[in-house]
Amino acid sequence: MLSRKDTEELLSSFSFLISCMERLEQRMGSVEKRLRSVESDHDRIRNSLNLDELVRLSRDAREALATVGAVRPAASAQPSGVRSAAVVVPVFNAPAETAACLAALFENGGYDELIVIDDGSDAETKDLLAREHRRRPFRLITNPQNLGYTKSVNIGVRAALHHDAVVILNSDTVTTFGWLDNLKRAFNRSESIGIVGPLSNAASYQSIPAVRNESGDFATNLIPDGLTADDIALALRNREPSYPHVPVINGFCFALRTSMLKRIGLFDEDAFPVGYGEENDLCLRATAAGFQLVVADDTYVYHSKSASFGSERRRELARAGRQALERKHGPETMQRAVGDLEQSLPLIDARSDAARLMAEGMAHALFADAPLSVAYILPARPGGGGVHSIVQEANYLHERGIKVAVFVPEREQAAFLSYYAADGIAPGLFVAYRALPMVRDLVAGFDAVVATVYRSVSLVRDLIEIFPDKRYFYYVQDYEPYFHAEGTPEFREAAESYDLGDKVRFFAKTRWLRDIVFEKHGRNVDIVLPSLDHSIFTPGPAGRKNHVAAMVRPSTPRRNPEQTVALAAALAAKHGGKLKVTLFGEDPSHAIFDAVRDIPGIELIGRLTRPEVAGLMQSIDVFADLSQYQAFGRASLEAMACGATAIVPKRGGSGEYAVAGWNAEILDTEVATVVEDAAAAVDRIYAGLDNYRQAALATAARYSVADAGRSIYKFFRAN
């Protein structure tokens, strides 16, 4: 005979089921109508895909399906494997984040059962959960007191073991359309897959587009302006997933095959009572039992990062969890796991694809209305970091449908076309000019005019007189008076280039350039993002290569060419031919190489195209730049993108990305001991090569041509 309590619970369950059925019956008619409308829209746009319509279509479908999502068995179409799934959400305070989490779950549905564990939350959170429980169908379990994260999760998991899978979902997450179907699909690739996790904005090595921030900590990537979490999810769903295999999965959204849990057990409540390490422990146990762990790289779940505790308390808990993990499994085990994660090429590819897809979405929003046409005046030769910046950023605008041209001297046009032929630069981007009358006629059809090097400024001054209503800018690539001896005509022209009137807005890539122009000329300079072309500069193979490279430019004394060659000789002598040193940038027959030409281990390869530079960078461990200063140091950042560690000058703008002892070595290159100091820096890099490499790759991932192009175009539009 049933007890009174059992009877009440049974009646409550029947009442709950009846209310669900009534709600479902009432809504089904309108749902079917909306879905028919969506299907009609799909037929209309299927053959001429438009991003605005695609995003709207996705949202319409999501809203229609969400009205029945709470009780819809989304996995019914799965032929075998993981068909049913429960979601367990442990809650401790943080009512705003919890409300957003539940709202997204109710909207996106896909689960067979939702279990919420209230682990002794405050009154506001309890009221929220009670209110939502009255409105929505889910199971609410209330702990009489705070038991800690791990015990609470285990309570929920035990209640869900009759399903094929259970997803542990942090209460500070926001799910997206199709998220759970995607996780199930990942499981069903193989019965040996025991744990699956999605990509996110903040999930350590599952983060996109960046894994680490400027301080070297794990990044919390903001959703770009003009996009939503669902937009990112939709973009990822349109790529072919590779399902990277990994040693551990981040626990913020932790999908577990229940048959695996029945073999290896649940979370370790004793070693990890408040969480922070319990998911890594389970991952290691799963791997030891023969299960595989994969990332569903077609799935995105937003994560606002541990709102229950706050950032400082979170760091303390993470340290304690790491210590408990090392006591249980040994420090070497997690070190190997971290190394595998950092060197996972499929994850690196997924982040690169995600960055591109997100950039395309942001660009669509930015460039959709009233495009601004842009003319760059570039009286220079191809090659050099500043010229590369201008060309690749202008080409990005061209690819986005913006009318843009780079005006180059007629005598240099063929050289530009040849130099950038292998880079995918649109040939029509380079427009030749001879003198002011020709420039005047060419520029007449553009809204904005950009000076680029000091020799372009005289032309821009004349254009301001002819076309006073256009927008004018000066893209400061370097502090060019430093290129010439003080008192020479070139020095005076370069210095006077910063004395353009107030009609011209200045911008640059580094704070160093901003500060020096203001200090010497009183001109305000805005900062835009630097660019890095990841389509060319991609990571080379991991592992020690015993290979160092440096660029030598004898025609540019500020680049310290003699000291650079001397470093090659010093490294060859110190390492006895065990270390290869490649010098490039100048013809091997140049007299500057006479002293090292016949030294074993030193390679002279001359001038390189950009793809050839990338190939070299992928084959080295260290790139040494001993310049007296660098306004930015593009070559060093490109080397980092290929997995090499850079030695950069202390003076200049390299500090925008280089952090000594973490992702680079920073030297005072204007001292007499620069060669000895650089040789010692090479030794330091080799002593911690893997750590430097991973930090360098994480740093380079923060920069892209798309981000730079949008940054500059926004600046043009705003001024």
Side-chain angles (χ1 to χ4, degrees), residues 388 418-424 533 535-538 608-619 638 642:
H388 290 332
S418 174
Y419 188 86
Y420 288 103
D423 286 14
D533 191 347
S535 69
I536 297 176
F537 296 95
T538 59
L608 304 178
T609 64
R610 295 180 72 233
E612 289 170 341
V613 171
L616 173 63
M617 297 298 194
Q618 290 162 355
S619 74
E638 290 170 344
C642 295

Side-chain angles (χ1 to χ4, degrees), residues 47-87:
N47 297 321
S48 57
L49 203 58
N50 174 279
L51 184 58
D52 284 334
E53 291 182 302
L54 183 59
V55 170
R56 183 188 60 75
L57 175 65
S58 169
R59 288 173 178 162
D60 284 350
R62 184 173 64 249
E63 289 169 5
L65 290 171
T67 62
V68 293
V71 293
R72 175 175 58 91
S76 59
Q78 296 285 359
S80 62
V82 171
R83 287 174 290 185
S84 68
V87 176

Side-chain angles (χ1 to χ4, degrees), residues 26 94 160 210 259 318 324 363 371 397 404 423-424 428 515 526 602 615 624 636:
Q26 292 167 0
S259 59
L397 297 181
V404 60
D423 286 14
D515 295 345
D526 287 282
I602 295 181
S636 293

Side-chain angles (χ1 to χ4, degrees), residues 281-331:
D281 169 61
L282 191 72
C283 288
L284 295 175
R285 286 157 47 203
T287 301
F291 289 97
Q292 299 175 16
L293 289 62
V294 303
V295 175
D297 54 340
D298 58 351
T299 311
Y300 183 85
V301 173
Y302 180 79
H303 186 204
S304 63
K305 292 288 284 186
S306 298
S308 295
F309 291 108
S311 58
E312 188 57 42
R313 174 63 173 152
R314 185 174 67 248
R315 281 191 287 269
E316 293 174 8
L317 293 172
R319 281 193 294 270
R322 184 168 57 251
Q323 292 167 359
L325 198 64
E326 290 177 353
R327 285 193 298 269
K328 186 170 181 179
H329 296 279

Side-chain angles (χ1 to χ4, degrees), residues 379-400:
R381 301 197 65 193
V387 172
H388 290 332
S389 295
I390 293 161
V391 170
Q392 64 192 20
E393 291 153 12
N395 190 66
Y396 171 78
L397 297 181
H398 170 79
E399 290 176 342
R400 301 312 310 179

Side-chain angles (χ1 to χ4, degrees), residues 558-560 563-564 567 624-628 647 667 669 674 678:
R558 68 182 181 280
R559 300 303 182 215
N560 276 349
Q563 291 87 336
T564 304
L567 172 62
D625 182 352
L626 303 190
S627 301
Q628 295 170 11
I647 298 173
L667 300 183
T669 54
V674 61

